[in-house]
Amino acid sequence: MEAAARVIARRGVRGLRVEELAAEAGVSTALIYYHFKDRTGILRQTLEFINDRAERYTTERDPDAPPLSPREDLDHTLLLELQDSAEVRENSTAWGELRASAVFDDALREDLARATLVWVQEIAELLGRVRPMTPATALASAAERLTALLEGLSMRWLSGSLPLAHARALMAEAIEVEVARLGR
């Protein structure tokens, strides 16, 4: 799965060739087809892998660190999607590629919609911990706006049209605006 994420991040979904994936993973193409059956299977499993990896790097903390407040947890989770590490770059690039490809691939579209819904729900839950008396519909709308903005900022950063520090500042400002809005 790491090899698939690397190849998609490097070549895009349209540039994904099973032979290159097999070489990157150090296995035969027959083994790739045995485990994934087809290209759609590879893409679906890669989407699941990058979601799991993103959850890990946005939630992992030093066990000896003091617990975060709900607001700190929200900031931490969203802003860690905008960090200049190879893993985050690769994940964000692969996510963007899979999202763009879902426009043309119905099977991938359904998987991506489910993954996006889970992400929005997780952010809505964090927002609910920050503003516990807020109606669920308002939390979901705020989470939708924040996750959509984060995806757009990430793509602009990765494409070189927005410096990372500025993307992070814009995201932090948007979090502030959304939290304040929920408090009214």
Side-chain angles (χ1 to χ4, degrees), residues 19-74:
E19 297 77 18
E20 183 181 359
L21 172 56
E24 183 84 19
V27 298
S28 70
T29 56
L31 190 59
I32 298 289
Y33 282 117
Y34 175 79
H35 282 288
F36 302 107
K37 294 187 181 164
D38 57 18
R39 184 178 167 79
T40 300
I42 294 167
L43 296 176
R44 284 180 161 164
Q45 289 298 311
T46 303
L47 177 62
E48 187 176 318
F49 171 78
I50 64 173
N51 282 332
D52 291 346
R53 188 163 66 172
E55 182 176 347
R56 182 182 45 73
Y57 66 68
T58 59
T59 58
E60 237 177 37
R61 290 191 16 88
D62 180 349
D64 296 330
L68 297 174
S69 71
R71 175 54 195 272
E72 290 168 333
D73 197 11
L74 175 66

Side-chain angles (χ1 to χ4, degrees), residues 16 52 125 152:
L16 175 65
D52 291 346
E125 180 186 322

Side-chain angles (χ1 to χ4, degrees), residues 96-183:
E97 275 295 316
L98 289 163
R99 176 166 297 292
S101 293
V103 171
F104 306 103
D105 184 336
D106 290 338
L108 189 55
R109 187 177 305 147
E110 291 172 19
D111 292 335
L112 195 68
R114 270 192 299 279
T116 300
L117 179 61
V118 167
W119 188 31
V120 169
Q121 289 171 338
E122 289 170 356
I123 298 305
E125 180 186 322
L126 289 172
L127 286 163
R129 289 179 42 225
V130 175
R131 297 285 190 211
M133 301 307 290
T134 306
T137 55
L139 295 171
S141 292
E144 190 79 48
R145 285 187 295 273
L146 288 171
T147 56
L149 176 63
L150 181 56
E151 285 182 7
L153 291 171
S154 180
M155 289 302 106
R156 286 186 180 189
W157 160 57
L158 290 167
S159 67
S161 60
L162 188 66
L164 179 59
H166 189 58
R168 289 178 61 84
L170 290 171
M171 192 68 223
E173 185 178 322
I175 295 167
E176 185 64 39
V177 167
E178 290 295 341
V179 168
R181 181 183 211 180
L182 293 173

